[in-house]
């Protein structure tokens, strides 16, 4: 029989992680689907959903700090959450899933369709990874290696997500899926813009689920800002997008939908 | 051997020694005989297995029992004992919101979670709150109406 381990604080969790190599459980909404019916026989399970250090949301200067074990419901209820984070997170699954699912689990699970991902790429967020040996700060684009693959090492936990605050920036998030609630995206499109003073000052564009990791290109964004014609921008992105065929959709459909969403956005 | 997992189930302290990764749904049905929580999909998509954990709607098919250590779990059997249940179920009956009844326990608990947060929901709020609960019989309209009526008539029940 497996043993459940309940660390009382982060330091204790990291010690247990180092010594016992347990399975780490937060909300369980990804783990339970994957392991349906099968239990980890002898492997201990460490529950991190109660760790106080991973459950904080705070603002420090120009950065929002979000504990990895905050659920989506808790995030959405926080007055500190800006709209450009609220819009994508509100589209995740259903109330019951958002009540259990954590942002850290969403990121560590590293599904290309994860809804927390495109916004964090667009905002140049950083992750704080911790182990018994200490902590390190890593840009989001370095963390993700491919579907289900991250830089998280044995003995490490994702502790915090640090997100720059961009006062007044506006986002749109389009999630193309089968059903409104509880569906993983076939693809997703996140765009963020700064139109202070009625002029486009900055723009960020990120696509989810159309390549092994999120697609974002600062070079293409700079071209948009410099006023390159829409057709040429679209050609650039067309080269960056590398969708696959799978049960949820075909690569052709994904490519066309991406291009259409981008075109619509650029022309608006 | 595993440690005991203790929690409050429908108001009573309970404690059991079991495989910690078992689904809360199975523990409720098999160990406690509480069969009001149903298994529809087993994957978090239908809400038939929904219960309240510390007052929040949770799909018990996705929650390993170890995660309810120290928490309060309310199933439809516990909710039945409340005045809110009677207001909601009366309203479901009058609106014709129950056909086969398989989704009903989950729907009632989703409605309770909604009205606790928001005693005066719009139709959009209600539909959002039910977005994780599937019903294959009613087409939802009657359920939405039942919840709206319960909110209107259940004055004072949901503060
Ligand atoms: C019906 C349904 C609908 C869904 N819809 C959506 C959707 O619309 N959009 C979406 O993006 N996702 C969706 N999901 C996926 C899922 O809910 C999310 O990915 C969720 O955020 C995972 O978080 P969790 O806390 O439940 O993770 P868990 O299942 O607890 O963990 C997932 C993985 O991350 C690891 N882990 C968790 N936290 C940490 C940490 N702090 N440090 C290191 N490792 C950690 C675990 O060991 C495990 O490998 C859906 C899932 C279901 C079942
Ligand atoms: S059985 Fe749990 S959500 Fe369907
Ligand atoms: S009444 Fe039959 S599933 Fe809802």
């Amino acid at each position: 029989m497996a043993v459940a381990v309940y660390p009382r604080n982060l330091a204790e969790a990291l010690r247990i992680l180092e010594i016992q190599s347990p399975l780490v459980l937060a909300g369980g909404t990804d783990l339970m689907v994957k392991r349906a019916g099968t239990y980890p026989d002898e492997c201990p399970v460490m529950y991190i959903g109660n760790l106080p250090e991973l459950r904080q949301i705070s603002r420090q200067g120009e950065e929002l700090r979000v504990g990895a074990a905050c659920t989506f419901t808790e995030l959405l209820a926080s007055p500190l959450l800006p709209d450009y984070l609220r819009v994508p997170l509100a589209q995740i699954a259903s109330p019951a899933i958002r009540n259990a699912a954590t942002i850290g689990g969403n990121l560590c699970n590293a599904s290309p369709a994860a809804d927390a991902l495109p916004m964090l790429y667009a905002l140049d967020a950083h992750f704080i990874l911790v182990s018994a040996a200490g902590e390190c700060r890593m840009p989001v684009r370095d963390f993700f290696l491919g579907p289900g693959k991250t830089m998280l090492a044995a003995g490490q936990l994702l502790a915090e997500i640090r997100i720059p605050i961009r006062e007044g920036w506006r986002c749109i998030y389009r999630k193309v899926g089968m059903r409104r609630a509880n569906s993983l995206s076939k693809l997703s499109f996140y765009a963020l813009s700064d139109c202070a003073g009625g002029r486009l000052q900055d723009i960020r564009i990120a696509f989810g689920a159309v390549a092994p990791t999120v697609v974002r290109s600062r070079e293409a964004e700079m071209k948009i800002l410099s006023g390159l014609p829409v057709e040429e921008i679209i050609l650039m992105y067309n080269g960056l997008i590398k969708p696959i065929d799978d049960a949820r959709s075909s690569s052709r459909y994904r490519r066309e939908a991406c291009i259409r969403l981008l075109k619509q956005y650029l022309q608006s | 051997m595993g440690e005991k997992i203790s929690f409050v189930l429908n108001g009573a302290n309970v404690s059991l020694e079991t495989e910690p990764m078992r689904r809360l749904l199975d523990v409720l049905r098999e160990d406690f005989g509480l069969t009001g929580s149903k298994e529809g999909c087993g994957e978090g998509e239908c809400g038939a297995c929904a219960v309240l954990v510390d007052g929040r709607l949770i799909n018990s098919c996705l929650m390993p029992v170890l995660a309810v250590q120290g928490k309060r779990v309310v199933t439809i059997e516990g909710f039945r004992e409340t005045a809110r249940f009677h207001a909601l179920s009366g309203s479901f009956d009058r609106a014709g919101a129950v056909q086969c009844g398989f989704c009903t326990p989950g729907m009632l608990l989703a409605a309770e979670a909604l009205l606790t947060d928001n005693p005066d929901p719009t139709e959009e709020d209600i539909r959002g709150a039910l977005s994780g609960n599937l019903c294959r019989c009613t087409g939802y309209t009657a359920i939405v109406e039942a919840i709206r009526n319960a909110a209107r008539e259940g004055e004072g029940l949901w503060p």
Side-chain angles (χ1 to χ4, degrees):
Chain A
M1 183 151 91
V3 182
V5 196
Y6 300 97
R8 273 159 305 172
N9 54 48
L10 184 57
E12 200 176 302
L14 296 174
R15 264 197 313 278
I16 295 167
L17 200 59
E18 196 178 26
I19 299 163
Q20 305 188 27
S21 316
L23 177 70
V24 171
L25 177 90
T29 61
D30 278 323
L31 275 180
M32 293 300 278
V33 173
K34 272 193 208 153
R35 309 191 145 253
T38 68
Y39 309 128
D41 21 22
E42 292 311 313
C43 178
V45 186
M46 181 167 79
Y47 181 57
I48 62 167
N50 290 338
L51 287 180
E53 295 90 338
L54 303 194
R55 302 182 46 80
Q56 320 274 340
I57 305 171
S58 68
R59 182 177 173 161
Q60 308 275 329
E62 290 310 294
E63 225 173 40
L64 189 69
R65 299 186 170 187
V66 174
C70 291
T71 64
F72 291 122
T73 299
E74 287 161 350
L75 278 168
L76 289 166
S78 168
L80 294 175
L81 199 77
D83 268 351
Y84 53 75
L85 302 179
R86 186 175 305 277
V87 167
L89 297 185
Q91 293 184 38
I92 291 180
S94 59
I97 300 284
R98 291 196 296 271
N99 284 341
T102 66
I103 184 163
N106 194 254
L107 301 171
C108 292
N109 191 55
S111 156
D115 284 304
L117 266 169
M119 63 181 201
L120 296 180
Y121 269 80
L123 285 151
D124 292 319
H126 284 76
F127 291 169
I128 304 297
L129 307 179
V130 292
S131 69
E135 67 170 56
C136 72
R137 186 180 159 112
M138 187 180 283
V140 59
R141 60 176 181 282
D142 294 347
F143 181 76
F144 294 98
L145 303 172
K149 295 213 177 64
T150 70
M151 287 293 285
L152 197 75
Q156 260 182 343
L157 285 180
L158 170 60
E160 219 172 67
I161 300 105
R162 304 243 172 118
I163 310 166
I165 301 204
R166 301 287 182 190
E167 227 70 74
W169 288 33
R170 310 254 313 258
C171 86
I172 69 151
Y173 188 58
R174 294 277 178 274
K175 186 173 160 169
V176 182
M178 299 283 276
R179 165 180 161 212
R180 216 97 147 258
N182 273 353
S183 73
L184 280 177
S185 312
K186 293 174 178 181
L187 63 101
S188 57
F189 172 74
Y190 181 82
L192 188 67
S193 62
D194 174 18
C195 291
R199 238 194 73 236
L200 183 64
Q201 312 274 356
D202 201 346
I203 191 161
R204 313 283 175 88
I205 286 175
F207 292 96
V210 292
T213 58
V214 168
V215 170
R216 183 179 163 209
S217 159
R218 192 60 186 152
E219 192 193 339
E221 291 164 4
M222 296 308 282
K223 293 265 161 64
I224 299 175
L225 288 171
S226 73
L228 199 72
V230 171
E231 286 65 35
E232 285 176 51
I233 304 284
I234 283 171
L235 275 179
M236 285 187 81
Y237 279 100
N238 203 24
L240 293 169
I241 292 166
K242 306 203 168 7
I244 55 161
D245 289 304
D246 68 8
R248 262 176 271 140
S249 188
S250 72
S251 98
R252 228 183 89 204
Y253 174 83
R254 284 190 162 109
R255 179 176 297 279
E256 268 176 36
C258 279
I259 297 304
R260 223 168 281 165
L261 284 167
L262 177 66
K263 199 166 179 177
Q264 234 175 41
Y265 178 72
L266 292 174
Q267 288 170 343
S268 70
Chain B
M1 280 311 277
E3 274 175 72
K4 282 209 161 158
I5 295 169
S6 307
F7 56 102
V8 179
L9 177 56
N10 295 330
N13 290 312
V14 298
S15 197
L16 78 164
E17 207 168 298
T18 187
E19 176 56 56
M21 285 296 277
R22 276 178 75 204
R23 308 183 301 174
L24 177 60
L25 175 65
D26 297 330
V27 171
L28 293 173
R29 293 178 59 91
E30 294 163 9
D31 299 24
F32 291 101
L34 299 173
T35 51
S37 314
K38 308 292 182 202
E39 173 158 9
C41 64
E43 298 189 341
E45 294 184 4
C46 75
C49 66
V51 298
L52 301 175
V53 176
D54 283 349
R56 295 214 152 120
L57 194 71
I58 291 285
N59 291 329
S60 64
C61 72
L62 288 186
M63 180 152 284
V65 63
L66 75 94
V68 298
Q69 166 75 28
K71 297 183 178 157
R72 281 176 300 117
V73 178
V74 174
T75 67
I76 192 68
E77 289 86 352
F79 185 49
R80 277 186 87 94
E81 307 298 320
T82 64
R84 292 170 171 193
F85 169 85
H86 291 288
L88 275 167
S89 77
S91 168
F92 267 57
D93 286 344
R94 286 189 295 279
V98 181
Q99 286 184 30
C100 80
F102 194 80
C103 68
T104 312
M107 289 290 179
L108 289 169
L109 289 169
E112 158 69 2
L114 165 71
L115 295 177
T116 303
D117 260 6
N118 176 1
D120 187 22
T122 62
E123 169 161 357
E124 204 190 331
D125 296 336
I126 298 175
R127 290 194 181 265
L130 300 183
S131 62
N133 295 74
L134 297 183
C135 175
R136 309 206 341 176
C137 305
T138 66
Y140 304 100
T141 310
I143 298 178
V144 172
E145 190 190 314
I147 295 173
R148 204 175 16 212
N149 293 341
R152 211 176 288 140
E153 293 153 14
E155 198 113 6
L157 280 176
W158 290 275

